[in-house]
Amino acid sequence: MACNSDFVTYVVDQCSGAGDITFRKMFGGYCLYCCDKIFALICDDLLFLKPTEAGRKLLKTEDLRPPYPGAKPYFYIAEVDDRDYLTVLIKASCRELPEPKPKKKK
């Protein structure tokens, strides 16, 4: 599940039109956040978007597959070079995703 950090940086840059995009290394891959909501995973240099109905309506091709063994299926997004498409897709998907849970105080 190793990822090339250059690919991760490229995808984050491509998604930047959707909002404040950050990432965190997890489980050998990366979680992508937009305004603190986890919206996607990068595993094996492939982009996987959390499934939402709004996202489904905008997909050029629906390809549901697990990003890693044992994971729930996500939308596989092959069009990482299309910045405008990613922006629209991520904005629509994030509107349907729940707000992040407040962090517990230590």
Side-chain angles (χ1 to χ4, degrees), residues 23-104:
F23 62 94
R24 180 177 296 154
K25 190 171 186 158
M26 295 183 121
F27 314 116
Y30 289 84
C31 289
L32 300 184
Y33 299 80
C34 182
C35 303
D36 296 326
K37 292 182 182 182
I38 296 176
F39 73 92
L41 302 174
I42 296 178
C43 301
D44 293 324
D45 290 338
L46 302 173
L47 177 62
F48 296 91
L49 182 70
K50 278 191 166 190
T52 63
E53 282 306 311
R56 177 176 275 116
K57 291 175 185 176
L58 294 170
L59 290 172
K60 293 178 180 178
T61 304
E62 185 175 329
D63 184 357
L64 269 173
R65 58 172 98 163
Y68 55 89
K72 292 180 181 179
Y74 277 54
F75 294 134
Y76 165 64
I77 308 298
E79 300 88 3
V80 296
D81 296 326
D82 189 341
R83 179 186 296 258
D84 294 333
Y85 173 63
L86 288 177
T87 296
V88 170
L89 185 59
I90 293 165
K91 282 182 175 181
S93 295
C94 285
R95 281 192 291 271
E96 284 191 16
L97 293 173
E99 291 298 321
K101 293 179 183 175
K103 294 181 181 179
K104 295 180 181 179

